[in-house]
Amino acid sequence: MPVVAESRLGLAYRRVYENLCGHHPLLLPWHFQWLPAHFLKRNLMQWLPQLGGSVLDVGCGNKPYRRWFGPVAHYVGIDVFALPETDVVVSVDGRWPFADQSFDVVLMTQVMEYLAEPQATVAEIRRVLRPGGVAVLSFPFLFNEHGRRDYLRLSARSVDTLFAGFTLRCLEKQGGIGSTMAVLFLNWLHTSLNWMFPLRLTRPLLLPVWLPLCLAVNLLGLLVNRLDVTGAYYSNVFLVLERPAGEGTS
């Protein structure tokens, strides 16, 4: 699937927006995607500094998390797109061109939803990890459809089945009813403003209203989260898994 070219108008607006609101993953609270980035950054900053060695970044994009790791001996990024930071281009759900037990760490954030056969990718993670190696993953649960290949939503309860055979070191449900509603609302507004060309032209004019609105909605979402004791309305799942030490190849 080819990368869709960005129009000059879209590129100019994105640059202005990023200058005002930050670049992923370091977004500012008035960015409409700040809440999911905030939760993910919090967990990654807790775990990645203590991990290193040989690292495989799955769905690497521009490798935004590389600098958060501890000492790294070898860092490889794979993606389905031939991006500037992609070291190896792979096919969706296909076998990765690495030997068994090649990596100490596998990082895969917000990729699972694009997999038609997630079990195949989980098997590849297990295969390329050394015994005692760690997989750091995240994937959406309550989140809007994004992209033509957005196939899958998994709850935290899927972990025991999908990742059977791994040792679970961390499982966190990211967000609550307030932040989930805030993210969906802001994403809906953003998508609506991009739906037709005349509406896209209004986006620069709306920035003085849009940025304070995003800030207010994001902060209100965090506040409402304090009232949510159900644990059922999270937007994302964060996982840290370990391949058991002393295990042979599978």
Side-chain angles (χ1 to χ4, degrees):
M1 185 173 61
V3 179
V4 178
E6 190 172 24
S7 68
R8 290 183 179 180
L9 178 63
L11 177 60
Y13 177 79
R14 179 170 62 82
R15 286 176 174 171
V16 170
Y17 197 81
E18 289 178 346
N19 285 333
L20 292 172
C21 304
H23 300 256
H24 180 77
L26 302 178
L27 304 183
L28 296 170
W30 42 90
H31 194 292
F32 76 100
Q33 286 281 348
W34 176 72
L35 280 169
H38 167 70
F39 294 135
L40 185 57
K41 176 189 173 186
R42 181 182 64 189
N43 287 126
L44 290 176
M45 289 295 289
Q46 176 186 359
W47 282 95
L48 296 191
Q50 57 186 296
L51 301 175
S54 184
V55 178
L56 178 64
D57 188 341
V58 181
C60 63
N62 62 355
K63 298 178 180 173
Y65 310 117
R66 180 174 183 170
R67 62 186 182 275
W68 294 356
F69 277 93
V72 171
H74 188 48
Y75 196 101
V76 179
I78 63 175
D79 209 305
V80 296
F81 303 120
L83 301 170
E85 293 287 340
T86 304
D87 298 305
V88 179
V89 176
V90 297
S91 60
V92 177
D93 299 315
R95 186 178 175 89
W96 299 335
F98 307 111
D100 296 350
Q101 303 184 18
S102 297
F103 295 96
D104 300 300
V105 181
V106 173
L107 172 68
M108 190 174 79
T109 61
Q110 310 309 107
V111 172
M112 194 73 73
E113 64 267 34
Y114 300 115
L115 304 177
E117 299 180 15
Q119 295 87 348
T121 297
V122 172
E124 283 298 277
I125 293 173
R126 183 182 184 87
R127 182 183 68 81
V128 302
L129 269 180
R130 297 181 177 119
V134 173
V136 179
L137 302 97
S138 68
F139 48 83
F141 174 51
L142 293 177
F143 201 82
N144 53 280
E145 180 181 307
H146 50 288
R148 290 178 293 170
R149 292 189 60 91
D150 186 357
Y151 297 138
L152 186 68
R153 292 293 179 272
L154 294 168
S155 73
R157 294 184 181 274
S158 69
V159 171
D160 290 341
T161 301
L162 187 58
F163 299 98
F166 286 93
T167 300
L168 182 63
R169 293 180 57 181
C170 174
L171 170 59
E172 180 162 332
K173 300 175 180 180
Q174 295 181 330
I177 185 64
S179 58
T180 297
M181 291 178 64
V183 170
L184 292 176
F185 173 65
L186 292 177
N187 284 355
W188 172 76
L189 282 179
H190 174 78
T191 302
S192 298
L193 289 174
N194 280 283
W195 199 252
M196 293 184 294
F197 182 72
L199 288 176
R200 289 199 293 272
L201 292 177
T202 67
R203 293 183 302 170
L205 301 176
L206 292 175
L207 280 176
V209 177
W210 175 247
L211 299 186
L213 174 65
C214 290
L215 176 62
V217 172
N218 285 332
L219 296 181
L220 180 61
L222 290 179
L223 181 62
V224 175
N225 275 359
R226 295 178 177 272
L227 305 176
D228 184 8
V229 296
T230 67
Y233 297 92
Y234 51 98
S235 58
N236 212 54
V237 178
F238 179 84
L239 287 175
V240 180
L241 305 161
E242 181 178 332
R243 180 173 176 175
E247 184 183 64
T249 60
S250 60

